[in-house]
Each structure stands twice: as structure tokens, then as C-alpha cells.
């Protein structure tokens, strides 16, 4: 996320909407789609061997996992709560020893194109960039 959008309001909104506050990470995403000045953060309460970015397939979320509809609502309402949000880059990777992660695959969508299927279809080591319309 661009640094201007990573505000106390963003942190509050995120904690209220999905039940976990963003945790700033030292990890850097090596992609031309992510600016060097971006803030990289994680949003997980508990790590799991998930089948997809948003959970374990069609199974109900287990204790501590974020429900699909909560993810989608958070993504869709983000620009109304955080005016400087213009792009959110979502990386599905597990690289605890790496300082930089270079995604093997990348896909760009607008927020209007984000669906449960798009999020569930994100493969390991893949980057999904979600662009938000500019507001005047």
C-alpha cells in the first residue's frame, strides 16, 4: 500500500472490519507494480496451510481465520475509509527468511473485478494488484 494511505484510520478500519490490525513487515516485494516507498504489512491472526489466499477452499473459516465476505467488504470499502488508497498489492507467499520476494506471477485488476473466485485463484508466489479509482 502507498505510504500516504497507511494511517491510523487505515489501521483502525482494518482492525474493526477484519478483526486484526495490519503489522508492518520488513519484507519487500520485488515487482515493478510495487513502489519502493510502499508500506508492506501482514493481516493474519494465525498461520495455516491454506488452500487459497482467503481460506481453505469452500470450508467454513476455523477459529481465527478471516471470513471471505469480511475480506471482500474490507477491500471494497477501503477507499471510502482511507482516501489516499490507490493500489493494494496482495502477495501470496511464505518466505520468512527473505527480505525481498520476487513473485513468479502477477495480475492486475480493478476493485470492481475482485470476487471470491479471483482471491481463491491466486497461486503461491503470485502478486495481485488491486487498483482503486481516483477520487477528486
Amino acid at each position: 500500500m502507498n505510504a500516504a494511505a497507511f494511517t491510523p484510520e487505515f489501521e483502525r478500519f482494518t482492525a474493526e472490519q477484519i478483526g486484526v490490525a495490519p503489522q508492518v513487515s520488513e519484507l519487500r516485494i520485488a515487482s515493478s507494480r510495487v513502489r519502493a516507498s510502499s508500506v508492506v504489512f501482514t493481516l493474519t491472526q494465525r498461520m495455516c496451510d491454506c488452500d487459497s489466499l482467503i481460506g481453505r477452499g469452500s470450508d467454513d473459516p476455523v477459529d481465527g481465520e478471516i471470513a471471505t465476505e469480511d475480506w471482500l467488504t474490507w477491500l471494497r470499502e477501503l477507499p471510502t475509509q482511507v482516501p489516499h488508497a490507490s493500489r493494494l498489492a496482495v502477495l501470496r507467499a511464505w518466505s520468512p527468511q527473505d527480505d525481498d520476494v520476487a513473485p513468479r506471477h502477477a495480475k492486475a485488476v480493478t476493485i470492481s473485478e475482485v470476487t471470491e473466485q479471483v482471491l481463491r485463484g491466486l497461486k503461491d508466489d503470485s502478486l495481485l494488484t488491486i487498483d482503486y479509482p481516483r477520487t477528486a
Side-chain angles (χ1 to χ4, degrees):
M1 166 175 279
N2 55 316
F6 197 90
T7 62
E9 290 79 18
F10 166 70
E11 293 177 279
R12 178 198 49 76
F13 167 67
T14 300
E16 288 175 2
Q17 181 62 46
I18 60 175
V20 62
Q23 301 298 310
V24 176
S25 172
E26 295 299 317
L27 181 76
R28 293 291 160 238
I29 302 170
S31 171
S32 61
R33 296 172 188 245
V34 180
R35 292 185 180 152
S37 62
S38 296
V39 176
V40 176
F41 59 91
T42 61
L43 290 175
T44 55
Q45 286 181 304
R46 65 187 277 263
M47 300 306 293
C48 64
D49 183 13
C50 296
D51 292 334
S52 68
L53 177 69
I54 56 170
R56 300 173 303 118
S58 60
D59 294 347
D60 291 332
V62 297
D63 186 40
E65 287 182 346
I66 301 166
T68 303
E69 203 50 48
D70 292 341
W71 276 115
L72 291 169
T73 300
W74 177 76
L75 288 169
R76 291 178 182 137
E77 291 184 6
L78 186 62
T80 64
Q81 301 294 318
V82 185
H84 296 293
S86 58
R87 173 178 283 173
L88 184 67
V90 179
L91 177 69
R92 183 172 181 221
W94 176 250
S95 302
Q97 275 77 27
D98 296 337
D99 290 334
D100 293 316
V101 175
R104 286 189 278 166
H105 309 281
K107 178 179 181 175
V109 296
T110 64
I111 187 58
S112 63
E113 297 171 302
V114 175
T115 63
E116 180 176 346
Q117 291 75 22
V118 168
L119 296 179
R120 289 197 188 280
L122 193 62
K123 307 266 188 249
D124 285 338
D125 294 322
S126 294
L127 180 71
L128 176 68
T129 54
I130 302 169
D131 290 312
Y132 291 94
R134 298 253 183 220
T135 56

